[in-house]
Amino acid sequence: MSIEKIREKILEEGGRWTSARQAILTVFFSDRKPLSPAEVRKRLAKGTADLASVYRTIRLFVEKGVLVPMVQTTEGQCYELSDDYREHHHHLLCGKCGQIQDYEDCQAGDVEKLIFKRMGFRVTRHDFQFYGLCADCL
Amino acid sequence: MSIEKIREKILEEGGRWTSARQAILTVFFSDRKPLSPAEVRKRLAKGTADLASVYRTIRLFVEKGVLVPMVQTTEGQCYELSDDYREHHHHLLCGKCGQIQDYEDCQAGDVEKLIFKRMGFRVTRHDFQFYGLCADCL
DNA sequence: ATATTTGCAAATTATTTGCATAATT
DNA sequence: AATTATGCAAATAATTTGCAAATAT
């Protein structure tokens, strides 16, 4: 379980492992899709954490490389687990039903080599969104 | 000049071509990078358009397919011209200096075919971000 | 002349911050 | 016991809306 790894990392760096942090992280591990702070809050049992704490906790996890900001044109800034804590993947966003699926096959390696050769830009991470219509909506 | 095309489209659909719309669109055509509403406003001569009108105008252009929302983790929601009005491209975001470059070579076609074959998802548009270090910052 | 768009102010919504209290080490 | 994190309320920022006045057709 990599929640344990994250806990250790936080502790090593002088942070504390609180029930709020545990609960918020658990939301991201169970509901594996991009979530906004408000959505995270909604998924927590009432009284678990104030919205301000959700914001602070998300910021902490982003700084620690646990979460990454993600786009979702419909509802503000969302976050999800970084590649260090789940399989690398891309997003398929259906323009009709709004559903977001993950797609785990990635051929970006060659493109990244090409980018370095042509532009001198060293890619360390990428983030692909594919928009269209899902199987159900086609 | 495709500003002219856009003007005609707006007029045909019963909209009006105002100096604010012309000015805002011109900003996107001159400064070809993702811009937030506030940044667009800053680039307009004072008195050209109220910030509320910038928001309304951007929304209109997004509905008409002229602009597309773009991510930029640093400063809120940004927009730029859609592929219909400029060359298709991807973004290279330097994590050190913050600069955003365009990269115009795209091999996504094959990947999109694969996505359809495997997932039944029909991709109509994609949006790729590459994060890393630019040539100057390496 | 008519319908649409704008500015301005006010209303919402999203996000951040200060500080006393509570919880973790 | 010392330090860090939390809740709550208040501050700030971002975005939207109503409506009368202005502008485009």
Side-chain angles (χ1 to χ4, degrees):
Chain A
M1 171 72 106
S2 37
I3 289 189
E4 188 52 32
K5 281 264 168 58
I6 295 166
R7 185 183 102 104
E8 282 165 20
K9 185 183 170 119
I10 297 284
L11 289 173
E12 275 168 18
E13 299 178 13
R16 274 140 203 217
W17 194 250
T18 67
S19 57
R21 287 174 182 183
Q22 167 92 29
I24 290 167
L25 196 50
T26 301
V27 168
F28 282 102
F29 271 91
S30 348
D31 205 338
R32 289 162 173 266
K33 61 171 204 166
L35 297 169
S36 67
E39 288 169 330
V40 170
R41 177 77 201 284
K42 258 187 277 175
R43 283 168 172 72
L44 296 170
K46 60 182 179 307
T48 308
D50 187 72
L51 185 56
S53 298
V54 174
Y55 274 99
R56 284 187 277 227
T57 303
I58 287 175
R59 196 192 315 173
L60 172 78
F61 286 140
V62 170
E63 282 161 7
K64 300 297 185 197
V66 173
L67 296 177
V68 290
M70 191 71 12
V71 209
Q72 199 179 345
T73 54
T74 44
E75 42 186 316
Q77 185 64 66
C78 293
Y79 303 84
E80 68 174 352
L81 290 173
S82 77
D83 287 353
D84 290 351
Y85 299 95
R86 59 163 303 184
E87 326 71 47
H88 174 66
H89 64 284
H90 298 148
H91 295 121
L92 310 182
L93 300 95
C94 179
K96 192 165 176 195
C97 68
Q99 184 205 142
I100 302 177
Q101 295 175 72
D102 289 348
Y103 178 70
E104 293 181 358
D105 185 56
C106 174
Q107 281 100 355
D110 293 344
V111 176
E112 295 181 355
K113 278 181 203 138
L114 214 54
I115 288 175
F116 183 64
K117 194 185 274 180
R118 296 198 185 156
M119 316 283 285
F121 186 103
R122 176 62 72 195
V123 176
T124 54
R125 181 168 83 76
H126 65 248
D127 183 2
F128 293 180
Q129 253 66 254
F130 293 91
Y131 301 88
L133 291 172
C134 73
D136 292 342
C137 293
L138 262 178
Chain B
M1 171 73 107
S2 36
I3 288 188
E4 187 52 32
K5 280 262 166 60
I6 295 166
R7 184 184 102 104
E8 282 164 22
K9 186 183 170 119
I10 297 285
L11 288 173
E12 274 168 21
E13 298 177 14
R16 273 134 204 224
W17 194 250
T18 68
S19 55
R21 288 174 180 182
Q22 166 91 29
I24 290 166
L25 196 50
T26 301
V27 167
F28 282 101
F29 270 92
S30 345
D31 205 337
R32 288 163 172 266
K33 60 170 203 166
L35 297 170
S36 67
E39 288 168 330
V40 170
R41 178 78 201 284
K42 260 187 274 175
R43 284 167 172 72
L44 295 170
K46 59 181 181 306
T48 308
D50 187 70
L51 185 56
S53 298
V54 173
Y55 274 97
R56 284 188 276 228
T57 303
I58 287 176
R59 194 190 319 171
L60 172 77
F61 285 140
V62 170
E63 282 161 6
K64 300 298 185 196
V66 172
L67 296 177
V68 289
M70 191 69 13
V71 210
Q72 198 180 344
T73 54
T74 45
E75 42 185 317
Q77 185 64 65
C78 294
Y79 302 85
E80 67 175 352
L81 291 173
S82 77
D83 287 354
D84 291 350
Y85 298 96
R86 58 163 304 185
E87 325 70 47
H88 175 66
H89 65 285
H90 299 148
H91 294 121
L92 310 183
L93 299 95
C94 179
K96 192 165 175 195
C97 68
Q99 185 205 142
I100 304 177
Q101 296 175 70
D102 291 347
Y103 178 69
E104 293 183 357
D105 185 55
C106 174
Q107 281 100 357
D110 293 343
V111 176
E112 296 182 356
K113 277 181 203 139
L114 214 53
I115 288 174
F116 183 64
K117 193 183 277 180
R118 297 199 185 157
M119 315 284 284
F121 186 102
R122 176 62 73 195
V123 176
T124 53
R125 180 167 84 76
H126 65 247
D127 182 3
F128 292 0
Q129 255 64 256
F130 293 92
Y131 300 89
L133 291 171
C134 71
D136 292 343
C137 293
L138 263 177

